Amino acid sequence: MPARLEEYALIGDLHTAALVSRHGSVDWMCVPRFDSGAVFASLLGSDANGHWRIAPSGPGTAVRRGYRDDTLVLDTEWETPTGTVQVTDFMPPRDGVPNLVRTVRGVSGEVAMHSLLRLRFDYGRIVPWVEHVDGQLVAIAGPDAIWLHGDVPHAGRDFASHADFTVRPGQEVSFVMTWHPSFEEHPTPVPAGPALESTLRFWREWSTGTVCDSPWRDAVVRSLITLKALIYEPTGGIVAAPTTSLPEEVGGVRNWDYRYCWLRDATLTLQALVRSGHLQEAADWRGWLLRAIAGDPADLQIMYGLAGERRLTEFELEWLPGYERSAPVRIGNAASGQLQLDVYGEVVSTLDRAQAEGMEQDPSVLHIVDALLGWLQTGWRQPDEGLWEVRGPRRHFTHSKMLAWAAFDSGARIAERAGHHPTAARWRAVRDEIHADVCARAYDPVRNTFTQSYGSPELDAAVLLMPQLGFLPGDDPRVIGTVDAIAAGLTQDGFVRRYDPGVGGVDGLPGSEGAFLACSFWMVDALALTGRLERAEELFERLLALANDVGLLSEEYDPTHRRQVGNFPQAFTHVGLVNSARRLAAARAAGQPG
């Protein structure tokens, strides 16, 4: 049985990532990329699907863990009846093949330790052939090979590898697991000690470049480090999460593969990074974006693969029962073929912001923006699936129209900077047309609220973004009414759901889901922008309290069972945290009344 999501920490090497539980078990790891097959997949099944646990052989009386200051190096410490021991887990930033390093250090007394390594390729399906070569373990099946170099040997038993050893104060035992293509020569393993120092140096130098003047600095910097860890460094693409099929409702079917690059999620991630001083990531993502979306703007996808791949065929893995029996386990994502008009707005808005932040100009940007808006000037009138990727009928979603408005608003500024004043005037005219259409068709004057889609009575938390976008000011009575309606109709225990899945059949799926954490952060922003700072800060503090002991948040929170659900950790959520912290700090500095 996998641990609760709150019990996991993230480590990664900017190509892929692993989840390590409080029990010392690596339960999820895909190699060599985020979207590759998992070698440890017990997160979505059982121990038989692959994991690696290093922990005391006997009982421990307490477990403490944390990242080593502003890095992605994880320390876990056990107190046992015979002494104290620390396990350090990390993945050195990639220089060739992926390495997972695990070091055991005696702190006090004498502690007997046990390492249990169960390797399974292809998401827990393939048992590799394991042998020992020059005292080291090697596992091979098809194109995959893994070598384990350790200070103590492992021995095979019950289709797993075991090692027993004892550590005393100051004594260290290290293991380095290296993946490589089985048809290539075995690479030289990284030395554990120097790899630790270089990994700490990398993350400390990166974190030092963070601009953060906030009362909530620790939470913001941890979120930014998490966002950085979700970047696929070779291309600049950003994954929405390092996991697949963690359920939005435990036992339900709302389980999706998030190991791809959503234009929306990546765009919002980049905005958070740019505002925090990390312009290089913005430049790398812009390069990825321009390559990925090249072609007919009518064929713009909502998501792409790590290198810009377009075909993300969705299928199910029948041999995995799913996290806590939440089936199916899905690989790929059929939503890649959906029409979601809001991505045009998010892409153009980010290119606009990058220019405003002083990024070096790319001459192709204006051409790309002209092509995108050239299609959108008529395309915005179409119904779409919306940002929630509903698998029901297309609708005229209010959020989609708002972001189409934002696309032309930002596009006009880009054109003005380039001296293309007639083009800017044309885009502003379309922008104003969309604005009038939304105000006329999405607003319910009886309830004083904007609704989820044209002519519908349903509410949608995405409409909370209206004052953030500048579509209407925060003191507009229609905005205040919308915020109040969503607070009354879409909250549970104060946390905000995306919409009511039981009303209107909008998403075409059975079951329910938890409160969407990004939407809850949007409520923080909306409360602040409508002049209710005290309520905004109160909700923000409650959201921070949902993070686990190492500062990580998933996609959703189940207020009934008081647990995190959905893919973990989630970029969308951590972006919301960073942006809300910045907005609240600015409101405090300005002396905004509560």
Side-chain angles (χ1 to χ4, degrees):
M1 174 70 70
R4 289 169 67 106
L5 296 186
E6 292 87 347
E7 297 184 32
Y8 285 103
L10 176 78
I11 58 175
D13 65 358
L14 307 181
H15 287 63
T16 189
L19 295 184
V20 187
S21 77
R22 286 180 59 86
H23 312 294
S25 183
V26 183
D27 290 343
W28 181 255
M29 181 178 175
C30 300
V31 287
R33 308 193 331 174
F34 289 105
D35 58 351
S36 300
V39 296
F40 300 131
S42 64
L43 181 69
L44 298 179
S46 68
D47 288 352
N49 300 118
H51 71 120
W52 183 10
R53 184 170 188 262
I54 298 178
S57 301
T61 58
V63 179
R64 295 182 296 273
R65 64 174 182 171
Y67 289 109
R68 202 170 296 186
D69 47 65
D70 294 336
T71 76
L72 208 62
V73 174
L74 178 70
D75 291 321
T76 304
E77 187 172 275
W78 283 269
E79 288 184 7
T80 78
T82 61
T84 302
V85 64
Q86 182 185 78
V87 175
T88 298
D89 293 309
F90 64 97
M91 298 181 70
R94 185 82 61 89
D95 183 16
V97 295
N99 292 280
L100 170 60
V101 183
R102 313 195 73 186
T103 297
V104 184
R105 183 177 67 88
V107 177
S108 66
E110 182 177 287
V111 182
M113 300 292 293
H114 183 73
S115 170
L116 191 166
L117 173 66
R118 183 174 282 110
L119 288 164
R120 297 292 184 267
F121 295 138
D122 192 25
Y123 302 102
R125 186 173 67 92
I126 298 175
V127 180
W129 181 265
V130 179
E131 57 183 345
H132 291 82
V133 178
D134 298 330
Q136 308 304 317
L137 180 150
V138 58
I140 296 177
D144 297 297
I146 281 181
W147 286 69
L148 180 66
H149 299 262
D151 293 335
V152 297
H154 281 69
R157 185 171 73 249
D158 299 327
F159 295 98
S161 298
H162 301 258
D164 290 289
F165 56 98
T166 300
V167 290
R168 298 171 181 83
Q171 182 181 359
E172 289 190 353
V173 174
S174 294
F175 302 93
V176 179
M177 192 188 85
T178 305
W179 176 94
H180 71 100
S182 61
F183 47 85
E184 294 182 0
E185 184 178 353
H186 168 230
T188 302
V190 298
L196 174 59
E197 293 307 312
S198 65
T199 303
L200 289 169
R201 184 168 55 252
F202 171 86
W203 285 105
R204 285 168 176 162
E205 290 177 354
W206 187 85
S207 299
T208 300
T210 299
V211 177
C212 179
D213 183 14
S214 168
W216 303 280
R217 180 204 176 271
D218 289 348
V220 169
V221 172
R222 177 51 50 192
S223 290
L224 290 168
I225 291 172
T226 303
L227 296 174
K228 171 68 172 175
L230 299 181
I231 295 176
Y232 183 63
E233 189 175 52
T235 66
I238 305 172
V239 298
T243 56
T244 180
S245 301
L246 292 178
E248 297 170 2
E249 177 187 36
V250 174
V253 301
R254 296 167 181 262
N255 318 320
W256 315 108
D257 193 346
Y258 276 16
R259 299 170 301 152
Y260 305 110
C261 303
W262 270 254
L263 294 185
R264 176 188 311 108
D265 294 39
T267 293
L268 296 173
T269 300
L270 254 297
Q271 290 177 2
L273 288 168
V274 164
R275 291 167 181 165
S276 302
H278 296 290
L279 293 182
Q280 184 58 54
E281 286 76 13
D284 292 343
W285 178 82
R286 184 178 64 182
W288 173 88
L289 172 72
L290 297 179
R291 293 188 301 271
I293 68 174
D296 187 346
D299 293 332
L300 184 72
Q301 293 190 182
I302 65 163
M303 73 179 85
Y304 297 85
L306 304 181
E309 297 92 344
R310 289 174 175 259
R311 188 174 295 115
L312 307 177
T313 305
E314 183 178 303
F315 59 96
E316 299 176 3
L317 304 184
E318 292 82 1
W319 63 86
L320 284 175
Y323 179 83
E324 295 191 18
R325 313 296 299 183
S326 302
V329 172
R330 293 182 172 95
I331 304 300
N333 202 308
S336 59
Q338 290 187 352
L339 174 65
Q340 296 178 24
L341 295 173
D342 67 293
V343 298
Y344 289 85
E346 277 127 6
V347 167
V348 179
S349 295
T350 296
L351 294 173
D352 174 31
R353 176 163 294 279
Q355 285 187 353
E357 294 287 344
M359 278 183 57
E360 183 179 349
Q361 300 299 307
D362 187 319
S364 62
V365 166
L366 183 62
H367 173 72
I368 291 288
V369 169
D370 281 346
L372 293 175
L373 298 188
W375 180 86
L376 190 62
Q377 66 181 335
T378 55
W380 74 268
R381 298 180 180 280
Q382 298 183 33
D384 70 341
E385 279 89 2
L387 86 161
W388 303 132
E389 299 173 1
V390 300
R391 301 203 174 190
R394 289 182 174 181
R395 300 188 180 193
H396 290 282
F397 286 102
T398 303
H399 174 266
S400 297
K401 308 303 186 187
M402 285 165 40
L403 268 294
W405 172 90
F408 289 101
D409 186 54
S410 293
R413 285 192 291 271
I414 292 173
E416 285 283 5
R417 292 191 194 104
H420 291 214
H421 303 297
T423 301
R426 184 165 72 254
W427 295 154
R428 280 194 292 268
V430 180
R431 177 199 64 184
D432 295 345
E433 182 182 6
I434 297 172
H435 193 279
D437 192 68
V438 171
C439 291
R441 302 178 64 189
Y443 177 66
D444 180 346
V446 175
R447 294 188 295 161
N448 187 29
T449 183
F450 286 91
T451 60
Q452 183 178 62
S453 60
Y454 288 2
S456 76
E458 290 89 10
L459 299 172
D460 190 328
V463 184
L464 290 170
L465 293 170
M466 188 172 284
Q468 285 191 53
L469 292 171
F471 186 90
L472 286 173
D475 59 359
D476 188 295
R478 293 168 294 180
V479 171
I480 296 172
T482 299
V483 174
D484 290 343
I486 290 172
L490 287 183
T491 59
Q492 182 179 355
D493 195 23
F495 303 114
V496 183
R497 294 176 294 158
R498 298 186 292 179
Y499 51 87
D500 187 343
V503 175
V506 65
D507 61 17
L509 293 167
S512 188
E513 63 178 22
F516 203 78
L517 292 176
C519 294
S520 299
F521 284 113
W522 295 346
M523 176 62 81
V524 171
D525 298 332
L527 288 170
L529 288 167
T530 53
R532 293 170 280 190
L533 185 58
E534 185 175 337
R535 284 179 57 190
E537 290 192 356
E538 178 184 356
L539 176 56
F540 185 71
E541 294 287 357
R542 292 190 65 207
L543 288 165
L544 290 185
L546 299 182
N548 70 359
D549 57 326
V550 291
L552 300 182
L553 288 161
S554 66
E555 180 183 16
E556 298 185 3
Y557 176 72
D558 181 345
T560 300
H561 299 96
R562 299 186 181 279
R563 60 182 302 186
Q564 296 191 36
V565 290
N567 282 301
F568 175 92
Q570 178 80 359
F572 218 26
T573 302
H574 284 280
V575 167
L577 187 157
V578 172
N579 290 340
S580 291
R582 180 173 291 107
R583 189 175 305 280
L584 292 177
R588 277 188 177 186
Q592 180 177 323

